[in-house]
Amino acid sequence: MEHLMNKNVREIQISGIRKFYNLLTNYKDAISLTLGQPDFNTPEHIKIAAKAAIDNNKTIYTPNAGLAELREAASQYFKNKYLLSYNVDTEIIVTNGASEAIDIALRTILEKGCEVILPGPIYPGYEPIIRLCGATPIYIDTTNTGFKLNAAILKEKITDKTRCIILPYPSNPTGCILDHEDLTEISKLLLDKDIFILSDEIYSELNYKGKHLSIATYPGMREKTILINGLSKSHSMTGWRIGFTMAPEYITKNMIKVHQYNATCACSISQYAALEALVNGIDDAAPMKIEYTHRRDFTYKRLVAMGLEVVKPEGAFYIFPSIKQFSMTSFDFAFKLLDEARVAVVPGDAFSNYGQGYVRLSYACSMDVLKEGLDRMEGFIKKL
Ligand SMILES: Cc1ncc(COP(=O)(O)O)c(C=O)c1O
C-alpha cells in the first residue's frame, strides 16, 4: 500500500547530512568532521537541576506553551542578551528543539501556492516542511556575496506569492553572519511588505565578530518576525530538545494550536534543566566560544594553506571551503576523501544546489581530532 503514502511525504528526501553520516559507519577508522553538535558536555549545574526535577516528581505535563517560570526566564534572557522584548504570557512557546519551532512556525503561516525565500547554501531543515505545506522554496544564490543575503538580491526574488523569508544567521553551513548594514537594508526593503521573516538564531551565542543582532529589533520588523532560538548549541543541550518561538501575539496564538496538537508540551525535565540554564548559566557559552574561535582560526589557516578558497566564518562552528578547482561533485570529493584518507566531511549540496562545489567541515570536535583530520585532508589534496 505504499502508493497510499502522502505524496508530499514520499517526495521528501532524507537529509544529505544524515545520508553521509550513515555511510561513515562503514569506516571505523575515519575522523569525522561532520557533526552539528558541540563536543562539550552539558554544564554540570544544568544536569543537577534535571536530576532534581526527576527526584521531585516534576514529571507531568506542563502548560502547552511551557512552564511559566521558564518563559519568564527566556523573556529576561533574550532581553538582556539581544534587546528583544516578548510577553511571557502571549508571545513565547517552549518547543521540542529549534526543529519543532521551525515546524510549527512554517505550518502556521504557509499554505499551498505560497513561496518561501531561502538564501542558499542553507540548513536543510526548512525545505521539507515548506514542501509538506504545499508551498514552494525559492532559493537565492549567495555564493557570489560571501554567502550573505542582501537587500538587492532579495528584492529580485520577491513576488506577490512570497509569504516568508528565512534568515538563518549565524549560518549553518557557512558560518556567515549579517551585520548592522545588511540588516538595516533588508528591514527597509521589507518594511511595507506583508511578508513574514523566520529568523533562526540558534547560533546567536556563537558570534565571533561582536554581539549578535536580531532582525526583530529593527524598525517595523518585530510585527512580522517569528524568532527561533534554543539551547542546543548555546548550552550544549542537543539531546534535551529545548527550543523557543518568540513572535507577536497574533502569530503565537495560532502557532500554539499547532504545537498543542503536535507535542502537547516540551519534556518537563528538560524544561527544568532549561530554566537553570537561562537563570544561572547565562554565559555558559562563553568558554565554548573562546575554544571555537581558536579552532576556527586554526581550520581557516590550514584550509587556506592547502590552496582552498574559503570565506572566514564569523559564527556557528562550520566552515565551507570551495572544492571547485578539483572538478568533482561535492559528493565525489567527500566520498573519495572518506574512502582514501578516512576523513568525513559533508558534501555541500546537502545544503541546496547552491552548495554544489563546496564541502562543510565542522570544528565542533577536539583540537587533536581537528588537526589529524586536516593533516589527512592535506595529504589527500596534495595527491589530487
Ligand atoms: C540552523 C539550524 N536550525 C535549527 C537546528 C535544529 O536545532 P535543534 O537541535 O534545537 O532542533 C539546527 C541544528 O543543527 C541548525 O543548524
Side-chain angles (χ1 to χ4, degrees), residues 325-376:
Q325 60 179 297
F326 305 114
S327 304
M328 273 186 244
T329 64
S330 296
F331 186 89
D332 289 349
F333 179 93
F335 185 72
K336 209 168 150 68
L337 177 65
L338 176 63
D339 197 46
E340 295 178 13
R342 297 293 197 264
V343 185
V345 298
V346 182
D349 59 336
F351 306 96
S352 86
N353 289 340
Y354 290 123
Q356 186 57 268
Y358 298 84
V359 290
R360 187 193 78 174
L361 280 68
S362 159
Y363 47 89
C365 57
S366 74
M367 257 304 197
D368 289 345
V369 169
L370 196 55
K371 187 170 177 311
E372 176 64 24
L374 289 166
D375 286 347
R376 291 186 191 188

Side-chain angles (χ1 to χ4, degrees), residues 188-231:
K188 276 190 197 154
L189 172 71
L190 296 177
L191 190 59
D192 64 350
K193 298 188 171 44
D194 286 345
I195 296 176
F196 293 108
I197 302 166
L198 187 142
S199 189
D200 181 349
E201 303 180 13
I202 187 83
Y203 294 98
S204 57
E205 278 296 275
L206 302 177
N207 178 323
Y208 309 125
K209 200 174 172 199
K211 263 227 163 287
H212 171 74
L213 299 172
S214 173
I215 186 106
T217 58
Y218 285 71
M221 295 300 105
R222 187 186 183 284
E223 276 315 290
K224 49 181 79 182
T225 300
I226 304 175
L227 214 144
I228 286 175
N229 213 315
L231 300 185

Side-chain angles (χ1 to χ4, degrees), residues 27 31 41 74 90 140 155 174 182 204 229 317 330 373:
Y27 293 86
I31 295 269
N41 290 329
T90 55
I140 294 187
K155 193 173 175 193
T174 67
D182 307 315
S204 57
N229 213 315
F317 38 62
S330 296

Side-chain angles (χ1 to χ4, degrees), residues 36 97-99 102 123 126 172 200 202-203 232-233 241 318:
S99 304
I102 294 168
Y123 171 65
Y126 314 106
N172 169 11
D200 181 349
I202 187 83
Y203 294 98
S232 295
K233 317 289 171 168
R241 313 307 303 132
Y318 310 102

Side-chain angles (χ1 to χ4, degrees), residues 227-281:
L227 214 144
I228 286 175
N229 213 315
L231 300 185
S232 295
K233 317 289 171 168
S234 60
H235 290 75
S236 204
M237 289 177 70
T238 51
W240 299 77
R241 313 307 303 132
I242 292 291
F244 301 98
T245 59
M246 285 166 277
E249 183 174 354
Y250 77 95
I251 303 177
T252 299
K253 75 175 186 204
N254 284 294
M255 283 196 299
I256 191 88
K257 294 184 260 176
V258 185
H259 169 69
Q260 173 179 1
Y261 292 114
N262 178 12
T264 304
C265 62
C267 164
S268 64
I269 300 153
S270 296
Q271 289 194 55
Y272 283 99
L275 176 61
E276 170 66 20
L278 294 183
V279 173
N280 295 317

